[in-house]
Structures are given as C-alpha cells and as structure tokens.
Amino acid sequence: MGIDSNRLLRHLPNIHNWADLYSKADLYIVTSDHHLGWPAPAFPNIKYLPGISLQPVQPLGGDMNELLEKNPSGVILASFGSLSVHLPNEIILNFIDAFQRLSQTVIWKIRHLKAEHRELLSQNIHVFNWLAQNDILGHRNVRMFITHCGNNGQHESIYHAVPMIGFPMYFDQFENAARLQQKGIGIEMNMRNFSSDHLVDNILTILKYNSTYKQNAKKISSILRSRPMLPKEEAAYWIEHVTQFGSGHLRPVTTAMSPFEMYGLDVACAGLVSLLVTIIALVCGSLRVIVFITQMRELK
C-alpha cells in the first residue's frame, strides 16, 4: 500500500514535496546495510540499521516448543508474508508435494488454506495463520527458512544463522533474494516457475550436500551480533540524539545546495567558458598570422 503524500505532508507545514522532505530530513534510518548488501559511502546523518524488528528471543508456548523439539532431523520454517493467501492452487500443490518428501518438520505460515489442500498434508507439515517468526527462527532446531525475502524476515533469519531459500514476489524482494544468493547464504527460486523436485533438490543442497551456506550464515550472524546494541535501540539513540542536539553537526552542507552547485557545474561552466575564450583567441591569432604571412608572400 502506497503512502498518501498529501496526508503525510499535512503534518509537515515546512515541507512542500518529497524532494523537500529528503533534503531537509535531519536523520535517515536505512533498514539494511553492507552485511547483506555492499559497502557504500554515507553521510553522518544516514544510519544503516539492519533488522530493525530484531529482538531477544521469547520462550514459545508448550505445543509449539514441543513441535520444534521433537524431530531430530530439524525444522524448516516456511512463510510468505500476508500475501500467501493469494498463492495459486498449482503453487500450493508444489509446496505440499515437496514438503511431504522431507524428513524435517515443516512449520508453514499460510492463511486460509483450503480444506482440499489440508487433506493432502502429511504428518510432518503443520500450518498456521500466524507465527512468532523471530522466536521460531531463534530456536536451535530450525535448519532453514523458506521465505518471500521480506526485509525484516531475512535479517531475522541471518541474525539467527538460518540459511534461506528465497521466493521473491514483489518490489525489493527480488533484490533481497539476489543478495542472499550472492552472499552464499541461500538460493533464489522463481515462484512462478518451479517444480517440487527442484525445491527438494535445493533444500537438500543446503541442508545435506553443501555446508558453506550454513557457515556463511553463521559468519554474517556473528557480524550482526557484534554490534554494540540492537538496531531498534540504536535507532532510538540517534532519534534522541538529534532531538536533543539537532542535526547541524551531522547533515552535509550539500543538502542546502542546488544540484548545479553540488556537482560544481558553476565552476565547470566558468572553466569551460575560459577554455572556449582561450581556444577562440588562439584560433583568431593563428588566422591573423596566416593572413599576414600570405600577404607578405604576395608582396614578394
């Protein structure tokens, strides 16, 4: 759902449009960083805080904890967000066929699964309308996360060192899925064009045949956990900091410049004019010399 620009800007009387908002913002909180992306330069008022939804794992209820504990082969968590209710029949059948062939317990968040599909579920597949995703991913017996690659979910998974299989569907999810594959912490698949055989092969690749996915996930998890505070705590710190001290010591002076000034186009134009004047002067001088030499030859 998009943001109503008019409603937002009504609460900001000194802001006239989105470009104005971007240039006058005191603080930018970006919910990603180089751990899953790539290093990039940033001004002091831009704070990269991946996994803003991360929080300490809470104890799970008796039934869920028993479900997570009982299978020595481990647990696979599958969740495609709130849009899973719109999955076509063929895709749901592919997932069911793949999941029932696994030795792991599959905990699947999917809303309003039809009765005809529930009848096909094997004993290792357990479906729920809602799950405490972060708490489940933090359980020691969870081996994999099958996800639509939402920003919060992927950071929760990496924080708990759980490798992923990504089925992106919308917007930034495609970039997120490409990153997890490039970083070697998961495999990207196409929701519109996959077979149950292909999914099972990829699951076994990560869990059985190629341990580097888990190793890479552990490494990035260790990096994320080495931060001095949780991302949401750091976000609160910087918001309070800017509220107390302002942002003059953080915001670059370029935010008050026009693009013409910021990129030095005024200096470039002055230099270009000087160069053109010099070239014209040289050309004119050369022509006068040539004319003079020609006239002298004619006089001889």
Side-chain angles (χ1 to χ4, degrees), residues 228-274:
M229 61 182 80
L230 286 172
K232 66 177 181 179
E233 295 171 347
E234 190 172 349
Y237 166 80
W238 282 112
I239 291 171
E240 292 175 358
H241 179 91
V242 169
T243 301
Q244 181 177 359
F245 300 109
S247 63
H249 58 297
L250 298 174
R251 297 175 74 241
V253 295
T254 53
T255 57
M257 295 181 178
S258 67
F260 193 79
E261 296 173 303
M262 184 169 63
Y263 294 109
L265 298 180
D266 50 347
V267 177
C269 287
L272 182 60
V273 170
S274 298

Side-chain angles (χ1 to χ4, degrees), residues 159-232:
Y159 186 80
H160 298 298
V162 178
M164 291 171 276
I165 289 181
F167 284 92
M169 292 186 282
Y170 302 99
F171 309 119
D172 64 328
Q173 296 169 9
F174 293 96
E175 182 180 354
N176 295 340
R179 283 204 304 260
L180 71 87
Q181 180 156 303
Q182 192 272 339
K183 294 288 185 178
I185 54 178
I187 297 174
E188 178 182 4
M189 296 186 67
N190 188 338
M191 179 70 82
R192 297 181 179 180
N193 182 25
F194 80 97
S195 67
S196 56
D197 290 337
H198 190 197
L199 176 55
V200 171
D201 287 344
N202 285 337
I203 291 173
L204 294 179
T205 295
I206 292 176
L207 296 184
K208 186 175 181 180
Y209 302 124
N210 191 340
S211 61
T212 58
Y213 290 99
K214 182 64 174 180
Q215 293 169 5
N216 292 336
K218 285 182 176 180
K219 179 179 179 180
I220 297 180
S221 173
S222 297
I223 295 173
L224 285 175
R225 288 173 177 270
S226 70
R227 300 177 74 102
M229 61 182 80
L230 286 172
K232 66 177 181 179

